[in-house]
Amino acid sequence: METKMELVQISGKDAGRRMVLPETGLRIGRASSNDWVIADEELSRNHCLIEFADGEPRLVDLASANGTYVNGEEIGSTPRVLKSGDLIEIGKTRLRVVNADAAEKPQTTVDLGLEPAPAPQSAASDASSGARKPTAGRRMLLWSLPVLVLLLGAGLVLWYPFERGTPSADSSVTRIPLAVEKGGLFALYYESVEADARHIFRYQMTIGPDGVLRVVSDDVPGENRHIDKSAKLSPEALARVNAIFASPDWSALDATYSGIAAADANELKSRRVRVVRANGVKDVLVENASEPEAFAAVREALETFSRNELGIWAIQYSREKLAALSEASEETGDAKWADRAVEYGNLGAAIKAYEEALFYLETVNPKPPHHAAIKKKLDAAKTELAARYREQRFLANKAINLGDWDEARAQLRILCDLIPDKNDPRHKEANAKLIEVDSRLRAAKKGGAK
């Protein structure tokens, strides 16, 4: 995006508040876990999301109770590309999208919300007459109706940035250019959506022409988790992704596999893969239907690849599961800590277990009560290990300097046991010295000089 955009709140007690839209996205709602928290009783806990696609900010309604409006028009479940001057209305709160540079200039007028919308619709006058927004009570009634599930499901399908047909000239959905490069894989889009009347889970994986892998995941309001990670892939990694689609069974798949309608099933389970390769474009959608074996194999391979590359495999587990895994690792750490005087390696094992316990909670928000306690235990274990390492290293170096090779070997072995991680520089140093000491001892046994 050439020009940065800024969001300015123009109504409510926090009027005047502003924020430059971060390229990592912005979540808005009443819950404290959001990036922009607004104390508005008519807002949902997780009301809407501004995300970036190909440098353009898109506003997405997160199945809010009272809806999200842009320039007087409710966006529903279809993402809306934002531009400077757009007026966003959520609950009783109004937000203006402006160019960041322009926002820095002093304001000479007060925005009373009386000016016409930048892109008026044919029914704009009706939309601003008071009939635009149903009351909160009517909204909550509609929210309870099963038909909303159908609207939610249909809208989520529209999140796909690859159109099923030819878009209109003013389409707000961005596309990856259909070009190819040497090496096979040019672009990839995979999205999995599971939704019902209670929550939405969305997992999106993309690889663009620049070879950057990005995964965006939202689980709201259930786990209340948002993940957005990316990394530049090596040519070898891109080749591995390309190989996933080499099977002729994948090429033979139909374009669409549809099952029970979302309205009848009261839920949506949709998965879509579109890949642009040197030999053409393949687009497969499976919606509320059993996955063909070839499709399932590709999907599982893509999910495994993205989680391994970005280190986000824990995303597949619920908050409760991650908390349970964390508690189990913490218990292991406690046991190793209690026995740290029994075996030299127990202190390092305790540190590893505490680090795993914190890792499981990385995507969990808010953090459970034992999170802070684990951090304190980890700090204490690291402090003690550092002190014991310094003492043990002194004893080993002393023996080496005195030429007491038997004692040096014994102390160096303790050092290696104390720091069991072979990738740790401290372990590498101790192990290198141990190899040298063993060499001297072997030479001595053969009658060589000590």
Side-chain angles (χ1 to χ4, degrees):
M1 184 174 63
E2 296 181 357
T3 302
K4 289 187 176 181
M5 291 189 179
E6 191 170 15
L7 203 59
V8 182
Q9 186 169 338
I10 61 175
S11 69
K13 66 177 183 179
D14 292 326
R17 180 184 179 190
R18 58 185 61 202
M19 179 186 295
V20 174
L21 295 180
E23 294 186 3
T24 54
L26 182 74
R27 287 195 300 165
I28 304 173
R30 286 189 296 109
S32 60
S33 59
N34 288 289
D35 304 307
W36 186 311
V37 180
I38 301 177
D40 184 338
E41 60 186 14
E42 291 192 9
L43 263 63
S44 297
R45 288 179 55 80
N46 301 281
H47 197 98
C48 60
L49 165 72
I50 297 177
E51 62 180 6
F52 281 82
D54 290 345
E56 291 186 303
R58 302 192 310 171
L59 180 64
V60 180
D61 183 83
L62 297 176
S64 64
N66 289 330
T68 299
Y69 295 77
V70 176
N71 301 330
E73 178 184 1
E74 185 173 12
I75 68 172
S77 52
T78 303
R80 172 73 66 87
V81 171
L82 297 174
K83 59 184 181 297
S84 180
D86 282 347
L87 178 66
I88 301 173
E89 295 179 84
I90 48 177
K92 298 177 181 178
T93 303
R94 292 187 299 165
L95 307 168
R96 176 74 71 188
V97 180
V98 298
N99 289 334
D101 295 338
E104 294 175 357
K105 298 179 182 178
Q107 298 293 322
T108 58
T109 60
V110 178
D111 186 351
L112 299 179
L114 301 178
E115 72 281 12
Q121 305 296 320
S122 60
S125 59
D126 293 338
S128 61
S129 66
R132 180 188 62 206
K133 291 187 181 180
T135 63
R138 289 174 62 192
R139 283 278 181 183
M140 293 306 295
L141 178 60
L142 290 172
W143 177 245
S144 65
L145 298 177
V147 70
L148 185 61
V149 177
L150 174 60
L151 297 176
L152 175 63
L156 285 170
V157 172
L158 294 177
W159 279 2
Y160 298 127
F162 295 105
E163 301 87 346
R164 290 192 177 93
T166 302
S168 59
D170 60 349
S171 174
S172 64
V173 182
T174 53
R175 293 179 295 169
I176 291 179
L178 299 183
V180 294
E181 69 173 14
K182 295 179 180 179
L185 179 71
F186 177 80
L188 169 71
Y189 181 87
Y190 163 62
E191 184 171 57
S192 174
V193 176
E194 295 184 19
D196 56 28
R198 295 185 301 276
H199 89 291
I200 304 171
F201 174 78
R202 177 193 182 207
Y203 184 93
Q204 183 189 81
M205 168 188 175
T206 58
I207 299 177
D210 55 359
V212 173
L213 165 67
R214 183 185 182 193
V215 169
V216 179
S217 178
D218 288 283
D219 192 351
V220 292
E223 303 299 328
N224 196 26
R225 285 188 290 179
H226 173 74
I227 293 176
D228 188 341
K229 288 193 174 184
S230 60
K232 177 76 173 180
L233 296 178
S234 66
E236 293 77 16
L238 288 171
R240 291 199 301 273
V241 177
N242 191 42
I244 293 174
F245 301 95
S247 171
D249 293 335
W250 160 259
S251 301
L253 289 173
D254 294 334
T256 305
Y257 296 85
S258 299
I260 303 174
D264 297 330
N266 285 330
E267 64 179 1
L268 172 69
K269 187 174 182 180
S270 174
R271 293 188 172 101
R272 186 173 191 175
V273 175
R274 178 166 181 171
V275 59
V276 183
R277 302 170 69 213
N279 60 352
V281 180
K282 184 69 175 179
D283 190 353
V284 182
L285 170 67
V286 179
E287 187 174 281
N288 282 2
S290 298
E291 293 179 302
E293 185 175 343
F295 184 90
V298 166
R299 174 185 60 78
E300 292 170 0
L302 290 175
E303 291 177 353
T304 299
F305 174 85
S306 62
R307 288 164 180 165
N308 288 340
E309 286 291 320
L310 299 178
I312 55 172
W313 60 268
I315 194 176
Q316 61 190 305
Y317 296 119
S318 67
R319 172 187 172 89
E320 290 73 19
K321 177 66 174 178
L322 290 172
L325 290 171
S326 176
E327 290 175 359
S329 293
E330 182 185 9
E331 291 177 0
T332 300
D334 291 344
K336 294 296 183 181
W337 170 262
D339 292 339
R340 62 189 183 280
V342 178
E343 294 184 10
Y344 294 111
N346 281 347
L347 190 53
I351 292 175
K352 182 179 179 181
Y354 289 142
E355 288 176 337
E356 286 181 352
L358 291 176
F359 171 76
Y360 288 128
L361 301 179
E362 185 181 26
T363 62
V364 175
N365 288 299
K367 305 299 183 189
H370 68 286
H371 180 265
I374 298 173
K375 293 185 68 175
K376 290 182 179 180
K377 292 176 181 179
L378 176 61
D379 290 341
K382 285 184 174 181
T383 299
E384 181 165 332
L385 179 63
R388 291 182 63 180
Y389 170 76
R390 287 193 299 268
E391 178 183 355
Q392 198 64 43
R393 185 173 183 268
F394 170 78
L395 295 175
N397 287 338
K398 176 183 176 182
I400 291 173
N401 291 334
L402 294 175
D404 188 349
W405 306 120
D406 286 324
E407 178 65 14
R409 178 169 61 180
Q411 297 300 335
L412 288 169
R413 284 177 175 174
I414 292 174
L415 264 181
C416 289
D417 290 340
L418 194 62
I419 311 292
D421 183 1
K422 295 182 179 180
N423 293 320
D424 191 307
R426 296 172 295 181
H427 180 97
K428 291 181 177 180
E429 179 192 65
N431 189 61
K433 290 181 178 180
L434 180 58
I435 293 174
E436 175 63 23
V437 168
D438 283 338
S439 176
R440 287 178 175 269
L441 287 172
R442 285 194 299 270
K445 287 183 179 180
K446 293 180 180 180
K450 293 186 179 181

